[in-house]
Amino acid sequence: MVPYSEAVIIAAVFTVDFLILILTGAASFVVILGVENALLSQHFSACVMISIGIVVSNFLWKLDSFNAISRPVGFVWRQVLSVGVVFLLFTAVAFFLKISDQFSRLWLLSWFASSLVLFGVHRIVWFFLLHWLARHGRFVRRIVLIGGGAEADHFLDGLDYESEPWNRVIGVFDDRIQREGFERRLQSKKWGKVDDVIEFCRRNRVDDIVITLPWTANKRIGEIIEKLMELPINIRLGSNLENFIYSTPTNSAIGNVKTLDIVFHPLDGWRYALKLAEDKILAFILIILLSPILLIVAILIRLDSPGPALFRQPRHGFNNKEFFVYKFRTMKEGAAPVSGEDQTLRDDPRITRIGAFLRSTSIDELPQILNVLQGTMSLIGPRPHPVPLGDEFAPVVTRYFARHRVRPGITGWAQVNGLRGAVWEEADMRKRVDHDLYYIDNWSIGLDIKILVMTAFRGIVGENAY
């Protein structure tokens, strides 16, 4: 199921808006003036400038919001004004620059009219498309409520009033829940205690958690948020928490229901699409460029000691789910525990001759490009730890599992800052987690490029790589 993302819908709508403007401007020119007209270049330049101006104007008139896309009728006049102001501004500028005679007034008028008509058709198409996708389960915002009292009832009233089919409450969790008032609206939905939320969210796709508890329950809400921060899910407060201070919340809404946003999915919407494209494109390029090296290394491993060239080991990954990470085998066959209970020591006798070189240069990690292509890993992200290591440190290192809010990486911010190799002390693990959380909270394409460059120049080798 495709994750719910208003940002992706908005990007798609604005892209089509821009194409509509360019194409209607070009079509109006061809029909009215002809393709061989001597003023083609001037009109093409004007077409591009006006199109960009209208896209910017739509943004300023708040036509970039999901509400404007999902409720097109209520924004008709705002759209007319947005387009009209840009056309009038262009006409005024051309007049004062004394170049208005270079542009056909009939072309401008026909372009203005045709673009408005197609804008209206486009937005209506999206209105019906969104409802069709929602009814067929392809565009659904899956919401979990924590709290089953009056605040939850108010939240559900708001969703019922808007009747937006993509907003669906799939579960309610409350230690003192009174189900009688909710059976009418949430029949067959998941019910449970607050402690059941994390496990439920790990097994099911959830887009938003809304805490519908009274604002007076400050301490309880703080405790719940602290537990939920390890999940790759938006966390919002549905109550009017006027005296509640936690991080830097912002205002938003689900349907017509106002909420306070506390924690965001770090890679949601367009950020998710951008990160995914980065991973797939770069991984595909790398697997082609490095295939000769991978083949040579595999042959050397087989010649150096009996056993397979590749090694699989279970690790904790995205949303704390286990997956198998691929590595070149660097130990003697049967010497390394598959589950990774025993950490590698310096001059470990289990390591083969070629294995020592592969570990010191981190070449043994290159097969994880296959994990990136599979979708279980990213090129850059928190390094996945062996399962026993996570089980050991998770109870004592605050927000340890919060590093699993994104896909693990082949390299990461911790690694290029020298935090590599075995981990024996709680303080060492805490440093790694702090670096991982810094990366998650500050992710950008620029940061990923910086980490890749640092990996290439100083992150491949290190004193702790053994």
Side-chain angles (χ1 to χ4, degrees), residues 22-79:
I22 292 291
L23 293 176
T24 52
S28 297
F29 179 87
V30 171
V31 171
I32 295 172
L33 301 175
V35 72
E36 301 295 334
N37 192 283
L39 297 176
L40 174 62
S41 60
Q42 292 95 320
H43 283 74
F44 177 77
S45 299
C47 184
V48 173
M49 287 190 295
I50 292 174
S51 297
I52 294 174
I54 291 175
V55 170
V56 173
S57 179
N58 283 349
F59 174 79
L60 296 176
W61 283 90
K62 306 298 183 183
L63 292 165
D64 64 320
S65 68
F66 184 74
N67 281 343
I69 296 170
S70 60
R71 306 167 188 172
V73 175
F75 289 81
V76 169
W77 285 112
R78 195 178 295 189
Q79 183 68 80

Side-chain angles (χ1 to χ4, degrees), residues 166-178:
W166 42 82
N167 291 323
R168 298 184 188 177
V169 175
I170 62 172
V172 178
F173 294 82
D174 193 319
D175 293 335
R176 296 168 296 180
I177 196 164
Q178 301 296 323

Side-chain angles (χ1 to χ4, degrees), residues 60-102:
L60 296 176
W61 283 90
K62 306 298 183 183
L63 292 165
D64 64 320
S65 68
F66 184 74
N67 281 343
I69 296 170
S70 60
R71 306 167 188 172
V73 175
F75 289 81
V76 169
W77 285 112
R78 195 178 295 189
Q79 183 68 80
V80 173
L81 289 173
S82 175
V83 176
V85 165
V86 175
F87 274 96
L88 288 175
L89 183 61
F90 174 80
T91 303
V93 170
F95 175 78
F96 283 112
L97 293 178
K98 299 181 179 180
I99 58 172
S100 58
D101 58 331
Q102 297 182 22

Side-chain angles (χ1 to χ4, degrees), residues 210-358:
V210 181
I211 302 175
T212 49
L213 293 174
W215 66 271
T216 52
N218 282 19
K219 183 177 179 181
R220 179 59 174 152
I221 292 172
E223 292 171 351
I224 291 173
I225 291 173
E226 195 64 38
K227 290 181 179 179
L228 297 178
M229 288 184 74
E230 67 184 58
L231 295 171
I233 298 171
N234 299 319
I235 302 173
R236 309 176 191 272
L237 298 180
S239 304
N240 182 22
L241 300 174
E242 297 175 338
N243 299 323
F244 187 78
I245 301 175
Y246 197 96
S247 185
T248 53
T250 57
N251 296 320
S252 68
I254 296 179
N256 195 40
V257 185
K258 300 298 182 181
T259 63
L260 292 177
D261 303 333
I262 301 299
V263 180
F264 287 103
H265 187 328
L267 290 176
D268 196 12
W270 65 268
R271 294 161 64 88
Y272 169 82
L274 200 58
K275 179 72 166 173
L276 183 64
E278 171 194 300
D279 283 336
K280 298 301 183 183
I281 293 172
L282 291 181
F284 183 73
I285 293 172
L286 287 173
I287 202 71
I288 293 175
L289 295 178
L290 297 176
S291 55
I293 297 177
L294 298 176
L295 180 60
I296 292 171
V297 170
I299 293 173
L300 291 175
I301 292 172
R302 295 297 301 271
L303 293 175
D304 184 50
S305 64
L310 289 181
F311 175 70
R312 292 199 321 160
Q313 190 179 73
R315 300 284 177 100
H316 277 131
F318 177 68
N319 205 11
N320 211 38
K321 294 180 179 178
E322 288 189 19
F323 74 103
F324 283 99
V325 66
Y326 296 106
K327 302 181 71 174
F328 277 127
R329 181 175 59 84
T330 58
M331 291 188 177
K332 298 170 185 176
E333 176 69 1
V338 175
S339 57
E341 293 95 337
D342 297 331
Q343 297 193 66
T344 308
L345 304 172
R346 190 179 296 275
D347 300 322
D348 197 311
R350 298 174 296 173
I351 299 176
T352 63
R353 290 173 298 176
I354 186 66
F357 171 75
L358 297 179

